Amino acid sequence: MSKYAELCAYGRRGATLKSIASLLGWDQETYMPRGGGDARAEQMALMAGMMHERGTSRELGDLISACEGESLNDQQSACVREFRRDYDKRTKLPQSLVEELARTGSKAQDAWKDARKNNDFKAFAPWLTKMVDLSRQKAEAYGFKPGGELYDALLDEYEPNATAKEVEGVFTPLGEKLSALVKELKDSGDAPSDGPITIHAPEDRQHALGLHVLRAIGFDLNAGRLDITTHPFCEGLAPGDTRLTTRYDGKYFPGALYGTMHEAGHGMYEQGLPKGGTHDGPGGEAIPSFGTPLADDISLGIHESQSRMWENMVGRSRPFWSWIYKEACDQFAELGKFDQEEVYRAVNIVRPSYIRVEADEGTYNLHVMLRFGIERAMIAGDLSIADLPGAWNERFKKLLGLDVPDDTNGCLQDVHWSFGLFGYFPTYTLGNLYAAQFWQTINKELPGLESDFAKGDFGRLKTWLNENIHAHGRRYSAGELCEKVTGKPLASQPLMDYLGGKLREVYKL
Ligand code: ZN
């Protein structure tokens, strides 16, 4: 067996371990009885230890080095390059720092829960100070490219090869234009009514509608499931097994409908990755791709581009409602009081609010940009933790035009920073940006897509995504893939064109 085949086999066993750990995690969030908590924590810790040991072993390092000396084609080289990337990341952090981050992060998360409940920033501040400090140590251990900054090293964990400067270059013009658009919509005298989205919608009917949509858009239910949880997520467990979760609110059906479409977008990416296939080894032999970077997702930003495209560009479009309106009325009797156009407009309401996770398509990215600017300044040491609430409220007013009433509705609302997730937030907006830029190209390459959607036919879109995005695994970086697919580097204009075009029309401007 070639060293390359050995490396891929090593990766495959690691991926199998990871899929077992993921199954334990999925079960914990869906069906595990409460009493199983302690034993599950033990099981998860054991799995995490085994995976870490394998992922940082000398054996793996030697295999990668051996492959770096072999003559490989482009695909195989990309595979080895990404194995190296992961290995170096895992081995660069001292074990003591990894443990300290986990220990302090878990305590900081408890402190954050109380602080948010009691609107007590001062109680959380010392913990946040510790987490920022530990994250800076982590960034220093990772290192970053010349000319960059500490924050780059953290961003790189979620969006490989992206830098803060590049992100800023796209975010700044987007923020200005979006703020102006949101204000324009607010001043429109013809805002949609939220009547259609506040009707009574029984949970079992919502579930039936969700499954109907999943089947139509092409999520393979023979290779996946939809279950109920408190915090919805998608888990691409293994070849042929992708789990989606959702939650139901009987008075707000778009929550589950769009939540399910969002997770299905993630799920179809997982199903579209070549996990079940093989690729050529150096001797022409067929090597299973599962467990290699060739069958793995590129970045959180690209993952999110897939979920946001199905949720928003498809699900919040007029042709989608031409198709689903009748079925939705059959499921929810009260919806029939409103015509199709009223429902379409209602699911596109834009209304500035304090909480990111409840934000609409028009304001969501402004919430993300606020966090990006603030966490970047905290990591750089330009913003002291004591000044965080003031900085938050001032920027919030500027971006969203609202006065933040208290820290619970302000800088204390998200869990991320309490366990050291710095550099994660920007990937949400990067996802929207990639989605819009892909969307522009897709509509050029696939004319007439809207009339397909109006008939409930989403096959051409799914095939395009399979071939142009999913099939490559991690062969290209997110930035490279964007240029390869759209012919241009990532920019803010496609997202502004999409949002401005749709929302101005919805608000009759
Ligand atoms: Zn998502």
Side-chain angles (χ1 to χ4, degrees), residues 478-499:
E480 286 166 353
L481 183 72
C482 179
E483 291 217 42
K484 182 178 154 59
V485 167
T486 70
K488 291 184 195 119
L490 186 66
S492 61
Q493 201 55 44
L495 181 58
M496 275 320 299
D497 288 348
Y498 156 73
L499 284 175

Side-chain angles (χ1 to χ4, degrees), residues 230-453:
T230 322
H231 302 288
F233 60 93
C234 161
E235 184 62 65
L237 269 186
D241 192 351
T242 296
R243 312 287 174 101
L244 309 181
T245 60
T246 195
R247 65 174 164 212
Y248 299 107
D249 175 346
K251 289 198 169 61
Y252 183 68
F253 76 84
L257 173 62
Y258 292 120
T260 301
M261 290 185 79
H262 180 97
E263 299 309 334
H266 284 305
M268 288 195 284
Y269 183 20
E270 291 291 332
Q271 291 184 335
L273 288 166
K275 293 182 202 177
T278 60
H279 66 284
D280 286 347
E285 73 277 33
I287 295 183
S289 297
F290 178 59
T292 76
L294 298 176
D296 206 359
D297 62 282
I298 302 170
S299 70
L300 290 185
I302 294 295
H303 227 306
E304 195 68 4
S305 76
Q306 301 304 289
S307 58
R308 297 292 276 183
M309 186 181 290
W310 287 100
E311 174 193 356
N312 292 325
M313 277 108 191
V314 177
R316 287 192 162 85
S317 72
R318 189 178 272 117
F320 178 80
W321 274 100
S322 316
W323 166 64
I324 199 70
Y325 174 72
K326 200 187 158 297
E327 177 71 26
C329 291
D330 286 348
Q331 297 292 358
F332 317 137
E334 284 179 41
L335 196 64
K337 288 191 295 194
F338 303 92
D339 67 25
Q340 186 190 308
E341 185 65 12
E342 287 171 314
V343 183
Y344 163 68
R345 292 185 72 209
V347 299
N348 283 297
I349 288 176
V350 173
R351 206 174 278 162
S353 61
Y354 300 110
I355 305 295
R356 174 185 61 87
V357 295
E358 293 164 8
D360 53 70
E361 214 186 343
T363 57
Y364 188 83
N365 297 299
L366 293 169
H367 289 263
V368 173
M369 281 176 226
L370 168 85
R371 287 155 178 77
F372 166 66
I374 283 185
E375 65 180 15
R376 188 183 179 198
M378 287 196 293
I379 295 297
D382 294 339
L383 174 65
S384 76
I385 304 304
D387 293 336
L388 168 59
W392 181 286
N393 299 350
E394 190 192 315
R395 292 181 200 208
F396 199 88
K397 173 89 182 174
K398 215 172 127 210
L399 284 167
L400 283 135
L402 295 177
D403 292 306
V404 177
D406 51 47
D407 295 333
T408 298
N409 283 289
C411 66
L412 282 176
Q413 65 181 271
D414 294 303
V415 66
H416 300 56
W417 292 337
S418 73
F419 57 91
L421 282 188
F422 295 93
Y424 190 105
F425 281 122
T427 67
Y428 294 128
T429 287
L430 289 171
N432 288 319
L433 289 158
Y434 283 125
Q437 195 153 327
F438 293 152
W439 191 242
Q440 221 169 43
T441 300
I442 290 168
N443 280 286
K444 265 183 221 142
E445 292 184 8
L446 305 176
L449 211 49
E450 298 213 322
S451 48
D452 287 11
F453 293 175

Side-chain angles (χ1 to χ4, degrees), residues 18 57 72 74 96 120 127 130 160 200 209 221 229 232 251 261 340 356 371 382 417 425 431 453 504:
K18 186 165 167 257
S57 74
L72 302 172
D74 285 356
S96 56
D120 185 359
W127 291 101
K130 279 184 202 160
H200 174 62
L209 185 70
L221 282 159
T229 186
K251 289 198 169 61
M261 290 185 79
Q340 186 190 308
R356 174 185 61 87
R371 287 155 178 77
D382 294 339
W417 292 337
F425 281 122
F453 293 175
R504 282 197 184 93

